[in-house]
Amino acid sequence: MKFETLKSIILLILICFSLLLTVGLWNYQPLTDEVGEDNENVVDETTIGGKEVKMSSLIAPSQFVFHRNGAHYSFEDGKDRENAYKIMKNWTLFNIHTVENRVVPEAAKMMEVIFPTNIPAQAIKNIFTLGEQDFGPSSGEFRRIFFSINDNGSVDVFFKPESKDALAYEASLRSENIYQLENLIATTEGLREQVMFTGDGEKRIFLPKDKVVVPWHILDTTTIPVAPLKNSLFEDPSIVESFPAPRVEQRLTDSLSNLEVMIGGKRMVFSKLPSEPSPQTAMSSYEVLDKSISFINAHEGWTDTFRLGDLSTANTSITYYMYQKHLPVLASEDNIHTIKVDYQNGQEKRYTRPLVRLEPSINKSDGTDTLSSGDKIIALINESRKYNSKLIEDIEIGYKLVQQSGGYGGYSLIPKWFILENGSWKEVEESFAREGGVAGAMGAN
């Protein structure tokens, strides 16, 4: 072999080796990158696949009532109610000021917006645009908002609380938004006439005058993993251990807090164990609302559509209700329809939530139920000894989740009439409807 040929072969080998080394360097990932990926996985392991939400999407009215010359109307479809709320949230208020609580305004044309619970007055700025006004009330709440159109075309906005002694607020609506309000009040399509239940004379609850046809559905479930909740809720997840416990499927503890998975694995309770007594820290209703949202957002805990349903008068607990098909879910066999946070000394003391996510069934089974008219429900309440009008806080059509039989993990979403009494929603049963002489006041016809 000639020397020149040998040099060429050696040069070719060196070139190939150099190319292999270059490719190796390009594909090399240092150990620090792997650590970064592991850290990223740790972050992922503190979320449960839901989403973060803003306060304005959790505060939502349960009903719009349009008052026209003594008659009352409300949206027939919950989707129209939600669209009206989207329009309302774009309105601008000005000249907000405190007033003494007073009677319901009287106007020939008026829109009443009703919320499922008392809303902190501080949240007004989270719902409306306030222009340049510096609005930061330290107290106050409202359950209803009245938009009254005056003879001169201006609009008064009255935020009315439930308690007669509570502080109320008034404001004015910016002129460019009045046209939208007038259109809403003048709407005739998609409305259902309402009757008003006054109970002992102090109530103001609106029910559909005629029978109501409501769809029912079948829903499937997806399990929410417990590991991300453990990583998010415990201060040091590495020291958390699992111990057997009666009446629960799993108990995780670090000696300071417990996370218990209820039998069936569809709901969990996280609670902090009692500690040494300390001075009580009071919280405002707005602080409870704001803090609970941040707490649940931290692990992306809004796995279904939830909305504010109850804010305790003592400002120690808050409950969010699941919504399906634009209606609240007010009962479920496995108690999976609510998220609740209890507070003590400004800190989360107890946290209960579902461990399943609901989604439309692949079977696509659905149908409709016909519910009794509001007139029949009012007659039932007045004639039945089961109900005390003085204790009734609200009456509403909502859904009940009933587990499917035969080992199938899904649920039937069944529409029902419900009565809120002493802070608890109770289903109006057909047997109760027969009591007192009002047969068939509830249920499918």
Side-chain angles (χ1 to χ4, degrees), residues 324-353:
Q324 293 286 341
K325 310 300 179 182
H326 313 292
L327 286 176
V329 180
L330 299 177
S332 61
E333 292 183 343
D334 297 300
N335 200 21
I336 61 170
H337 64 289
T338 60
I339 294 177
K340 184 178 181 181
V341 187
D342 297 289
Y343 283 90
Q344 186 177 62
N345 291 334
Q347 299 297 321
E348 292 79 17
K349 176 67 177 177
R350 182 181 171 92
Y351 173 44
T352 60
R353 62 159 301 116

PDB file of all heavy atoms in Angstrom, residues 324-353:
ATOM      1  N   GLN A 324     -74.239  21.819  36.346  1.00  0.00           N
ATOM      2  CA  GLN A 324     -74.312  20.984  35.154  1.00  0.00           C
ATOM      3  C   GLN A 324     -75.469  21.486  34.291  1.00  0.00           C
ATOM      4  O   GLN A 324     -76.568  21.720  34.798  1.00  0.00           O
ATOM      5  CB  GLN A 324     -74.531  19.509  35.533  1.00  0.00           C
ATOM      6  CG  GLN A 324     -73.366  18.852  36.258  1.00  0.00           C
ATOM      7  CD  GLN A 324     -72.197  18.554  35.327  1.00  0.00           C
ATOM      8  OE1 GLN A 324     -72.348  18.512  34.101  1.00  0.00           O
ATOM      9  NE2 GLN A 324     -71.024  18.326  35.908  1.00  0.00           N
ATOM     10  N   LYS A 325     -75.205  21.657  33.009  1.00  0.00           N
ATOM     11  CA  LYS A 325     -76.248  22.077  32.064  1.00  0.00           C
ATOM     12  C   LYS A 325     -76.942  23.354  32.548  1.00  0.00           C
ATOM     13  O   LYS A 325     -78.158  23.509  32.471  1.00  0.00           O
ATOM     14  CB  LYS A 325     -77.274  20.969  31.861  1.00  0.00           C
ATOM     15  CG  LYS A 325     -76.671  19.612  31.536  1.00  0.00           C
ATOM     16  CD  LYS A 325     -75.844  19.632  30.262  1.00  0.00           C
ATOM     17  CE  LYS A 325     -75.240  18.273  29.977  1.00  0.00           C
ATOM     18  NZ  LYS A 325     -74.392  18.278  28.748  1.00  0.00           N
ATOM     19  N   HIS A 326     -76.142  24.275  33.107  1.00  0.00           N
ATOM     20  CA  HIS A 326     -76.606  25.599  33.523  1.00  0.00           C
ATOM     21  C   HIS A 326     -77.508  25.580  34.740  1.00  0.00           C
ATOM     22  O   HIS A 326     -78.164  26.578  35.041  1.00  0.00           O
ATOM     23  CB  HIS A 326     -77.315  26.315  32.365  1.00  0.00           C
ATOM     24  CG  HIS A 326     -76.569  26.268  31.071  1.00  0.00           C
ATOM     25  ND1 HIS A 326     -75.383  26.934  30.881  1.00  0.00           N
ATOM     26  CD2 HIS A 326     -76.824  25.609  29.907  1.00  0.00           C
ATOM     27  CE1 HIS A 326     -74.947  26.706  29.651  1.00  0.00           C
ATOM     28  NE2 HIS A 326     -75.800  25.898  29.047  1.00  0.00           N
ATOM     29  N   LEU A 327     -77.554  24.460  35.460  1.00  0.00           N
ATOM     30  CA  LEU A 327     -78.336  24.381  36.691  1.00  0.00           C
ATOM     31  C   LEU A 327     -77.448  23.892  37.830  1.00  0.00           C
ATOM     32  O   LEU A 327     -76.510  23.109  37.607  1.00  0.00           O
ATOM     33  CB  LEU A 327     -79.520  23.423  36.529  1.00  0.00           C
ATOM     34  CG  LEU A 327     -80.714  23.893  35.701  1.00  0.00           C
ATOM     35  CD1 LEU A 327     -81.743  22.769  35.580  1.00  0.00           C
ATOM     36  CD2 LEU A 327     -81.369  25.122  36.322  1.00  0.00           C
ATOM     37  N   PRO A 328     -77.738  24.304  39.071  1.00  0.00           N
ATOM     38  CA  PRO A 328     -76.924  23.816  40.197  1.00  0.00           C
ATOM     39  C   PRO A 328     -77.236  22.370  40.521  1.00  0.00           C
ATOM     40  O   PRO A 328     -78.375  21.917  40.377  1.00  0.00           O
ATOM     41  CB  PRO A 328     -77.364  24.741  41.351  1.00  0.00           C
ATOM     42  CG  PRO A 328     -78.767  25.129  41.001  1.00  0.00           C
ATOM     43  CD  PRO A 328     -78.790  25.239  39.492  1.00  0.00           C
ATOM     44  N   VAL A 329     -76.212  21.642  40.947  1.00  0.00           N
ATOM     45  CA  VAL A 329     -76.408  20.290  41.473  1.00  0.00           C
ATOM     46  C   VAL A 329     -76.562  20.456  42.985  1.00  0.00           C
ATOM     47  O   VAL A 329     -75.635  20.861  43.676  1.00  0.00           O
ATOM     48  CB  VAL A 329     -75.223  19.371  41.134  1.00  0.00           C
ATOM     49  CG1 VAL A 329     -75.461  17.967  41.699  1.00  0.00           C
ATOM     50  CG2 VAL A 329     -75.013  19.304  39.622  1.00  0.00           C
ATOM     51  N   LEU A 330     -77.737  20.146  43.505  1.00  0.00           N
ATOM     52  CA  LEU A 330     -78.064  20.435  44.896  1.00  0.00           C
ATOM     53  C   LEU A 330     -78.094  19.188  45.775  1.00  0.00           C
ATOM     54  O   LEU A 330     -78.301  19.297  46.987  1.00  0.00           O
ATOM     55  CB  LEU A 330     -79.412  21.170  44.975  1.00  0.00           C
ATOM     56  CG  LEU A 330     -79.439  22.523  44.245  1.00  0.00           C
ATOM     57  CD1 LEU A 330     -80.833  23.132  44.312  1.00  0.00           C
ATOM     58  CD2 LEU A 330     -78.417  23.483  44.831  1.00  0.00           C
ATOM     59  N   ALA A 331     -77.875  18.019  45.180  1.00  0.00           N
ATOM     60  CA  ALA A 331     -77.825  16.784  45.971  1.00  0.00           C
ATOM     61  C   ALA A 331     -77.089  15.726  45.173  1.00  0.00           C
ATOM     62  O   ALA A 331     -77.100  15.734  43.936  1.00  0.00           O
ATOM     63  CB  ALA A 331     -79.233  16.297  46.329  1.00  0.00           C
ATOM     64  N   SER A 332     -76.441  14.797  45.886  1.00  0.00           N
ATOM     65  CA  SER A 332     -75.773  13.665  45.239  1.00  0.00           C
ATOM     66  C   SER A 332     -75.631  12.546  46.254  1.00  0.00           C
ATOM     67  O   SER A 332     -75.454  12.798  47.452  1.00  0.00           O
ATOM     68  CB  SER A 332     -74.398  14.053  44.680  1.00  0.00           C
ATOM     69  OG  SER A 332     -73.533  14.498  45.710  1.00  0.00           O
ATOM     70  N   GLU A 333     -75.706  11.317  45.773  1.00  0.00           N
ATOM     71  CA  GLU A 333     -75.667  10.170  46.673  1.00  0.00           C
ATOM     72  C   GLU A 333     -74.318  10.011  47.359  1.00  0.00           C
ATOM     73  O   GLU A 333     -74.244   9.528  48.485  1.00  0.00           O
ATOM     74  CB  GLU A 333     -76.029   8.900  45.903  1.00  0.00           C
ATOM     75  CG  GLU A 333     -77.489   8.864  45.456  1.00  0.00           C
ATOM     76  CD  GLU A 333     -77.858   7.570  44.764  1.00  0.00           C
ATOM     77  OE1 GLU A 333     -76.928   6.847  44.347  1.00  0.00           O
ATOM     78  OE2 GLU A 333     -79.061   7.274  44.639  1.00  0.00           O
ATOM     79  N   ASP A 334     -73.245  10.437  46.697  1.00  0.00           N
ATOM     80  CA  ASP A 334     -71.909  10.301  47.277  1.00  0.00           C
ATOM     81  C   ASP A 334     -71.353  11.649  47.737  1.00  0.00           C
ATOM     82  O   ASP A 334     -70.160  11.763  48.009  1.00  0.00           O
ATOM     83  CB  ASP A 334     -70.955   9.672  46.252  1.00  0.00           C
ATOM     84  CG  ASP A 334     -71.374   8.262  45.878  1.00  0.00           C
ATOM     85  OD1 ASP A 334     -71.433   7.415  46.786  1.00  0.00           O
ATOM     86  OD2 ASP A 334     -71.647   8.016  44.695  1.00  0.00           O
ATOM     87  N   ASN A 335     -72.229  12.667  47.795  1.00  0.00           N
ATOM     88  CA  ASN A 335     -71.832  13.994  48.259  1.00  0.00           C
ATOM     89  C   ASN A 335     -70.639  14.530  47.470  1.00  0.00           C
ATOM     90  O   ASN A 335     -69.661  15.037  48.027  1.00  0.00           O
ATOM     91  CB  ASN A 335     -71.500  13.951  49.760  1.00  0.00           C
ATOM     92  CG  ASN A 335     -71.550  15.335  50.384  1.00  0.00           C
ATOM     93  OD1 ASN A 335     -72.178  16.249  49.846  1.00  0.00           O
ATOM     94  ND2 ASN A 335     -70.874  15.504  51.499  1.00  0.00           N
ATOM     95  N   ILE A 336     -70.731  14.428  46.143  1.00  0.00           N
ATOM     96  CA  ILE A 336     -69.630  14.856  45.289  1.00  0.00           C
ATOM     97  C   ILE A 336     -69.936  16.169  44.571  1.00  0.00           C
ATOM     98  O   ILE A 336     -69.209  16.558  43.664  1.00  0.00           O
ATOM     99  CB  ILE A 336     -69.294  13.774  44.232  1.00  0.00           C
ATOM    100  CG1 ILE A 336     -70.521  13.524  43.330  1.00  0.00           C
ATOM    101  CG2 ILE A 336     -68.809  12.499  44.895  1.00  0.00           C
ATOM    102  CD1 ILE A 336     -70.214  12.650  42.122  1.00  0.00           C
ATOM    103  N   HIS A 337     -70.988  16.855  44.981  1.00  0.00           N
ATOM    104  CA  HIS A 337     -71.432  18.039  44.236  1.00  0.00           C
ATOM    105  C   HIS A 337     -70.964  19.357  44.835  1.00  0.00           C
ATOM    106  O   HIS A 337     -71.299  20.419  44.315  1.00  0.00           O
ATOM    107  CB  HIS A 337     -72.959  18.043  44.118  1.00  0.00           C
ATOM    108  CG  HIS A 337     -73.670  18.160  45.443  1.00  0.00           C
ATOM    109  ND1 HIS A 337     -73.702  17.145  46.365  1.00  0.00           N
ATOM    110  CD2 HIS A 337     -74.370  19.185  46.000  1.00  0.00           C
ATOM    111  CE1 HIS A 337     -74.393  17.525  47.420  1.00  0.00           C
ATOM    112  NE2 HIS A 337     -74.806  18.763  47.224  1.00  0.00           N
ATOM    113  N   THR A 338     -70.195  19.317  45.933  1.00  0.00           N
ATOM    114  CA  THR A 338     -69.751  20.562  46.562  1.00  0.00           C
ATOM    115  C   THR A 338     -68.254  20.537  46.868  1.00  0.00           C
ATOM    116  O   THR A 338     -67.653  19.473  47.054  1.00  0.00           O
ATOM    117  CB  THR A 338     -70.500  20.823  47.881  1.00  0.00           C
ATOM    118  OG1 THR A 338     -70.248  19.742  48.792  1.00  0.00           O
ATOM    119  CG2 THR A 338     -71.996  20.968  47.649  1.00  0.00           C
ATOM    120  N   ILE A 339     -67.689  21.726  46.930  1.00  0.00           N
ATOM    121  CA  ILE A 339     -66.352  21.966  47.471  1.00  0.00           C
ATOM    122  C   ILE A 339     -66.539  22.921  48.649  1.00  0.00           C
ATOM    123  O   ILE A 339     -67.151  23.986  48.503  1.00  0.00           O
ATOM    124  CB  ILE A 339     -65.401  22.592  46.436  1.00  0.00           C
ATOM    125  CG1 ILE A 339     -65.127  21.613  45.294  1.00  0.00           C
ATOM    126  CG2 ILE A 339     -64.090  23.020  47.093  1.00  0.00           C
ATOM    127  CD1 ILE A 339     -64.252  22.200  44.188  1.00  0.00           C
ATOM    128  N   LYS A 340     -66.027  22.544  49.811  1.00  0.00           N
ATOM    129  CA  LYS A 340     -66.210  23.369  51.003  1.00  0.00           C
ATOM    130  C   LYS A 340     -64.885  23.589  51.709  1.00  0.00           C
ATOM    131  O   LYS A 340     -64.078  22.662  51.844  1.00  0.00           O
ATOM    132  CB  LYS A 340     -67.211  22.712  51.968  1.00  0.00           C
ATOM    133  CG  LYS A 340     -67.536  23.561  53.188  1.00  0.00           C
ATOM    134  CD  LYS A 340     -68.562  22.887  54.090  1.00  0.00           C
ATOM    135  CE  LYS A 340     -68.894  23.760  55.288  1.00  0.00           C
ATOM    136  NZ  LYS A 340     -69.871  23.120  56.206  1.00  0.00           N
ATOM    137  N   VAL A 341     -64.668  24.833  52.151  1.00  0.00           N
ATOM    138  CA  VAL A 341     -63.466  25.173  52.911  1.00  0.00           C
ATOM    139  C   VAL A 341     -63.905  25.828  54.218  1.00  0.00           C
ATOM    140  O   VAL A 341     -64.697  26.784  54.205  1.00  0.00           O
ATOM    141  CB  VAL A 341     -62.533  26.131  52.142  1.00  0.00           C
ATOM    142  CG1 VAL A 341     -61.216  26.313  52.906  1.00  0.00           C
ATOM    143  CG2 VAL A 341     -62.267  25.628  50.730  1.00  0.00           C
ATOM    144  N   ASP A 342     -63.406  25.305  55.342  1.00  0.00           N
ATOM    145  CA  ASP A 342     -63.668  25.887  56.662  1.00  0.00           C
ATOM    146  C   ASP A 342     -62.410  26.588  57.158  1.00  0.00           C
ATOM    147  O   ASP A 342     -61.278  26.108  56.940  1.00  0.00           O
ATOM    148  CB  ASP A 342     -64.068  24.798  57.658  1.00  0.00           C
ATOM    149  CG  ASP A 342     -65.364  24.113  57.276  1.00  0.00           C
ATOM    150  OD1 ASP A 342     -66.420  24.763  57.390  1.00  0.00           O
ATOM    151  OD2 ASP A 342     -65.318  22.941  56.848  1.00  0.00           O
ATOM    152  N   TYR A 343     -62.612  27.714  57.861  1.00  0.00           N
ATOM    153  CA  TYR A 343     -61.484  28.517  58.332  1.00  0.00           C
ATOM    154  C   TYR A 343     -61.485  28.659  59.843  1.00  0.00           C
ATOM    155  O   TYR A 343     -62.542  28.685  60.491  1.00  0.00           O
ATOM    156  CB  TYR A 343     -61.533  29.906  57.685  1.00  0.00           C
ATOM    157  CG  TYR A 343     -61.054  29.887  56.246  1.00  0.00           C
ATOM    158  CD1 TYR A 343     -61.946  29.674  55.207  1.00  0.00           C
ATOM    159  CD2 TYR A 343     -59.704  30.038  55.947  1.00  0.00           C
ATOM    160  CE1 TYR A 343     -61.508  29.623  53.893  1.00  0.00           C
ATOM    161  CE2 TYR A 343     -59.257  29.994  54.641  1.00  0.00           C
ATOM    162  CZ  TYR A 343     -60.155  29.782  53.622  1.00  0.00           C
ATOM    163  OH  TYR A 343     -59.725  29.726  52.330  1.00  0.00           O
ATOM    164  N   GLN A 344     -60.264  28.759  60.370  1.00  0.00           N
ATOM    165  CA  GLN A 344     -60.075  29.041  61.790  1.00  0.00           C
ATOM    166  C   GLN A 344     -58.787  29.848  61.937  1.00  0.00           C
ATOM    167  O   GLN A 344     -57.734  29.467  61.415  1.00  0.00           O
ATOM    168  CB  GLN A 344     -59.981  27.746  62.603  1.00  0.00           C
ATOM    169  CG  GLN A 344     -59.927  27.968  64.111  1.00  0.00           C
ATOM    170  CD  GLN A 344     -59.897  26.662  64.872  1.00  0.00           C
ATOM    171  OE1 GLN A 344     -58.965  25.862  64.725  1.00  0.00           O
ATOM    172  NE2 GLN A 344     -60.910  26.423  65.690  1.00  0.00           N
ATOM    173  N   ASN A 345     -58.897  30.992  62.604  1.00  0.00           N
ATOM    174  CA  ASN A 345     -57.739  31.874  62.787  1.00  0.00           C
ATOM    175  C   ASN A 345     -57.072  32.249  61.467  1.00  0.00           C
ATOM    176  O   ASN A 345     -55.846  32.325  61.363  1.00  0.00           O
ATOM    177  CB  ASN A 345     -56.700  31.244  63.727  1.00  0.00           C
ATOM    178  CG  ASN A 345     -57.205  31.160  65.157  1.00  0.00           C
ATOM    179  OD1 ASN A 345     -58.062  31.951  65.563  1.00  0.00           O
ATOM    180  ND2 ASN A 345     -56.701  30.210  65.916  1.00  0.00           N
ATOM    181  N   GLY A 346     -57.888  32.467  60.452  1.00  0.00           N
ATOM    182  CA  GLY A 346     -57.361  32.928  59.171  1.00  0.00           C
ATOM    183  C   GLY A 346     -56.716  31.858  58.322  1.00  0.00           C
ATOM    184  O   GLY A 346     -56.158  32.156  57.265  1.00  0.00           O
ATOM    185  N   GLN A 347     -56.798  30.595  58.754  1.00  0.00           N
ATOM    186  CA  GLN A 347     -56.162  29.504  58.020  1.00  0.00           C
ATOM    187  C   GLN A 347     -57.192  28.433  57.663  1.00  0.00           C
ATOM    188  O   GLN A 347     -58.201  28.268  58.355  1.00  0.00           O
ATOM    189  CB  GLN A 347     -55.031  28.877  58.856  1.00  0.00           C
ATOM    190  CG  GLN A 347     -53.925  29.836  59.218  1.00  0.00           C
ATOM    191  CD  GLN A 347     -53.193  30.367  57.992  1.00  0.00           C
ATOM    192  OE1 GLN A 347     -52.952  29.621  57.039  1.00  0.00           O
ATOM    193  NE2 GLN A 347     -52.843  31.647  58.011  1.00  0.00           N
ATOM    194  N   GLU A 348     -56.889  27.698  56.580  1.00  0.00           N
ATOM    195  CA  GLU A 348     -57.767  26.597  56.188  1.00  0.00           C
ATOM    196  C   GLU A 348     -57.730  25.506  57.265  1.00  0.00           C
ATOM    197  O   GLU A 348     -56.668  24.966  57.562  1.00  0.00           O
ATOM    198  CB  GLU A 348     -57.343  26.006  54.843  1.00  0.00           C
ATOM    199  CG  GLU A 348     -57.554  26.925  53.652  1.00  0.00           C
ATOM    200  CD  GLU A 348     -56.481  27.994  53.504  1.00  0.00           C
ATOM    201  OE1 GLU A 348     -55.394  27.819  54.128  1.00  0.00           O
ATOM    202  OE2 GLU A 348     -56.715  28.995  52.803  1.00  0.00           O
ATOM    203  N   LYS A 349     -58.876  25.238  57.839  1.00  0.00           N
ATOM    204  CA  LYS A 349     -58.979  24.232  58.889  1.00  0.00           C
ATOM    205  C   LYS A 349     -59.443  22.888  58.338  1.00  0.00           C
ATOM    206  O   LYS A 349     -59.002  21.818  58.784  1.00  0.00           O
ATOM    207  CB  LYS A 349     -59.963  24.716  59.965  1.00  0.00           C
ATOM    208  CG  LYS A 349     -60.253  23.719  61.078  1.00  0.00           C
ATOM    209  CD  LYS A 349     -59.032  23.464  61.937  1.00  0.00           C
ATOM    210  CE  LYS A 349     -59.374  22.522  63.094  1.00  0.00           C
ATOM    211  NZ  LYS A 349     -58.187  22.188  63.910  1.00  0.00           N
ATOM    212  N   ARG A 350     -60.339  22.929  57.339  1.00  0.00           N
ATOM    213  CA  ARG A 350     -60.913  21.704  56.784  1.00  0.00           C
ATOM    214  C   ARG A 350     -61.277  21.961  55.322  1.00  0.00           C
ATOM    215  O   ARG A 350     -61.808  23.021  54.983  1.00  0.00           O
ATOM    216  CB  ARG A 350     -62.149  21.306  57.588  1.00  0.00           C
ATOM    217  CG  ARG A 350     -62.844  20.017  57.154  1.00  0.00           C
ATOM    218  CD  ARG A 350     -64.048  19.792  58.051  1.00  0.00           C
ATOM    219  NE  ARG A 350     -64.894  18.693  57.585  1.00  0.00           N
ATOM    220  CZ  ARG A 350     -64.772  17.437  57.978  1.00  0.00           C
ATOM    221  NH1 ARG A 350     -63.845  17.106  58.866  1.00  0.00           N
ATOM    222  NH2 ARG A 350     -65.592  16.496  57.519  1.00  0.00           N
ATOM    223  N   TYR A 351     -60.996  20.987  54.488  1.00  0.00           N
ATOM    224  CA  TYR A 351     -61.213  21.121  53.046  1.00  0.00           C
ATOM    225  C   TYR A 351     -61.819  19.824  52.550  1.00  0.00           C
ATOM    226  O   TYR A 351     -61.216  18.753  52.664  1.00  0.00           O
ATOM    227  CB  TYR A 351     -59.870  21.409  52.365  1.00  0.00           C
ATOM    228  CG  TYR A 351     -59.872  21.419  50.855  1.00  0.00           C
ATOM    229  CD1 TYR A 351     -60.862  22.050  50.112  1.00  0.00           C
ATOM    230  CD2 TYR A 351     -58.824  20.809  50.144  1.00  0.00           C
ATOM    231  CE1 TYR A 351     -60.837  22.076  48.727  1.00  0.00           C
ATOM    232  CE2 TYR A 351     -58.777  20.839  48.760  1.00  0.00           C
ATOM    233  CZ  TYR A 351     -59.778  21.465  48.053  1.00  0.00           C
ATOM    234  OH  TYR A 351     -59.749  21.494  46.671  1.00  0.00           O
ATOM    235  N   THR A 352     -63.045  19.903  52.027  1.00  0.00           N
ATOM    236  CA  THR A 352     -63.704  18.713  51.483  1.00  0.00           C
ATOM    237  C   THR A 352     -64.005  18.942  50.011  1.00  0.00           C
ATOM    238  O   THR A 352     -64.417  20.037  49.614  1.00  0.00           O
ATOM    239  CB  THR A 352     -65.008  18.412  52.240  1.00  0.00           C
ATOM    240  OG1 THR A 352     -65.899  19.529  52.120  1.00  0.00           O
ATOM    241  CG2 THR A 352     -64.740  18.145  53.705  1.00  0.00           C
ATOM    242  N   ARG A 353     -63.815  17.900  49.201  1.00  0.00           N
ATOM    243  CA  ARG A 353     -64.009  18.033  47.762  1.00  0.00           C
ATOM    244  C   ARG A 353     -64.215  16.663  47.115  1.00  0.00           C
ATOM    245  O   ARG A 353     -63.840  15.622  47.699  1.00  0.00           O
ATOM    246  CB  ARG A 353     -62.811  18.721  47.106  1.00  0.00           C
ATOM    247  CG  ARG A 353     -61.490  17.961  47.237  1.00  0.00           C
ATOM    248  CD  ARG A 353     -60.482  18.389  46.161  1.00  0.00           C
ATOM    249  NE  ARG A 353     -61.014  18.157  44.822  1.00  0.00           N
ATOM    250  CZ  ARG A 353     -61.270  19.139  43.951  1.00  0.00           C
ATOM    251  NH1 ARG A 353     -61.004  20.386  44.259  1.00  0.00           N
ATOM    252  NH2 ARG A 353     -61.773  18.863  42.751  1.00  0.00           N
TER     253      ARG A 353
END
